[in-house]
Amino acid sequence: MERIEHHASFGGRQEVWQHASATLGCAMRLGVYLPPAALAGQACPVLYWLSGLTCTEQNFITKAGVQAHAARHQIIVVAPDTSPRGEAVANDPGYELGQGAGFYVNATQAPWAPHFRMEDYVVHELPALVEAHWPTTGRRGIFGHSMGGHGALTLALRYPGRYASVSAFAPIVAPSQVPWGQKALAAYLGPDTQAWAAHDAVALVASATERLPLLVDQGEADEFLASQLRPELLQAACAQAGHPLTLRLHPGYDHSYYFIASFMADHVAHHAQALIATAATKA
């Protein structure tokens, strides 16, 4: 682990770290916000952010305004890059596939399989690294935007008990049914649509064994709403399965970080309620 950036922020510190990932076979960067309590050596819960297409760790830590809210609730916030990167890593000319577009799955197809294992990285390697390096309570939440919202929802549903809370901004809720997801899942997982369903929040809700409440915010002026995001599909699936969902639609808001920053306080508070209450109960 090598620290390559650090900035004082709201009594805590925003850092950027780089490490050699054994899972992905390349160097990876992650943003880590340490609230004042963590700097003082106190154990804090950890909230993981998954970014959307084309993003690195920088988009979130510079635009979302999460630091003030994380400091208020004393939560460590970790924001990894969206994919493996480097000259030896496969890529594609399109922004929706390859570097910057890992889709938080473990690829099984060539040429992606050797490096594109973002599911294992986010679920296993990254928390092990974080929990070995900083004081944590062992409690985790996960949230994200767009492709990262897809990742947050599907990983929380696929790993019951691993996360105490989950939320998403403008997530791709049904990648099996929209162009972005269909292109990525076909490339990474092959033509078997049953394999795709294992990484589709709408499909996963039907068989979820844990009823972790879902918080989803969506802008009604989002240019990708009708073609790529389709929140009504998640709403219908949750209603049918009896899965708790709070879906909030916001007139005038688009797909940008202006939208994310506007409702970041609500999302951090949503996670804090679960993460801190759970930690207090365990204590």
Side-chain angles (χ1 to χ4, degrees):
M1 286 276 283
E2 176 190 4
R3 191 175 72 173
I4 56 178
E5 281 187 41
H6 59 98
H7 312 278
S9 181
F10 294 96
R13 192 162 61 227
Q14 178 64 59
E15 303 183 340
V16 177
W17 289 76
Q18 181 170 290
H19 73 105
S21 168
T23 301
L24 304 178
C26 67
M28 287 293 286
R29 290 189 176 188
L30 57 143
V32 179
Y33 179 72
L34 300 172
L39 291 184
Q42 298 176 34
C44 298
V46 182
L47 181 55
Y48 291 88
W49 170 267
L50 305 182
S51 291
L53 291 166
T54 76
C55 291
T56 69
E57 82 289 342
Q58 289 292 326
N59 300 75
F60 177 71
I61 66 175
T62 60
K63 296 180 180 180
V66 72
Q67 292 86 356
H69 313 303
R72 182 179 310 115
H73 295 286
Q74 302 293 357
I75 294 174
I76 296 170
V77 181
V78 175
D81 200 348
T82 53
S83 78
R85 297 184 192 266
E87 291 184 4
V89 177
N91 204 3
D92 185 87
Y95 71 91
E96 68 273 65
L97 187 66
Q99 296 186 35
F103 265 84
Y104 306 102
V105 302
N106 291 335
T108 59
Q109 307 297 302
W112 314 105
H115 296 283
F116 281 75
R117 303 189 59 81
M118 287 298 293
E119 177 176 351
D120 280 352
Y121 177 72
V122 170
V123 174
H124 300 298
E125 184 179 12
L126 184 59
L129 190 72
V130 168
E131 290 164 19
H133 205 78
W134 290 284
T136 80
T137 62
R139 310 306 301 171
R140 311 176 195 95
I142 191 166
F143 67 154
H145 171 234
S146 195
M147 176 186 70
H150 141 77
L153 294 174
T154 57
L155 296 181
L157 291 166
R158 282 173 59 78
Y159 293 89
R162 189 148 187 86
Y163 301 100
S165 55
V166 60
S167 70
F169 293 86
I172 306 169
V173 302
S176 299
Q177 301 183 51
V178 300
W180 278 345
Q182 290 168 342
K183 179 175 180 177
L185 296 179
Y188 296 145
L189 304 177
D192 181 6
T193 56
Q194 288 297 108
W196 300 5
H199 303 277
D200 185 304
V202 167
L204 288 167
V205 159
S207 58
T209 59
E210 180 184 38
R211 294 294 187 231
L212 200 61
L214 311 180
L215 170 62
V216 174
D217 277 313
Q218 174 64 61
E220 291 186 335
D222 190 320
E223 63 268 41
F224 304 113
L225 177 58
S227 60
Q228 306 284 5
L229 307 178
R230 307 288 304 278
E232 72 281 359
L233 297 178
L234 181 63
Q235 187 174 41
C238 286
Q240 184 170 359
H243 197 106
L245 167 68
T246 300
L247 173 62
R248 308 192 304 182
L249 302 176
H250 302 281
Y253 285 90
D254 58 19
H255 201 68
S256 71
Y257 268 86
Y258 295 108
F259 161 61
I260 294 169
S262 297
F263 301 100
M264 183 55 64
D266 293 350
H267 280 247
V268 176
H270 164 80
H271 290 279
Q273 184 176 26
L275 292 169
I276 296 168
T278 304
T281 300
K282 285 179 69 66

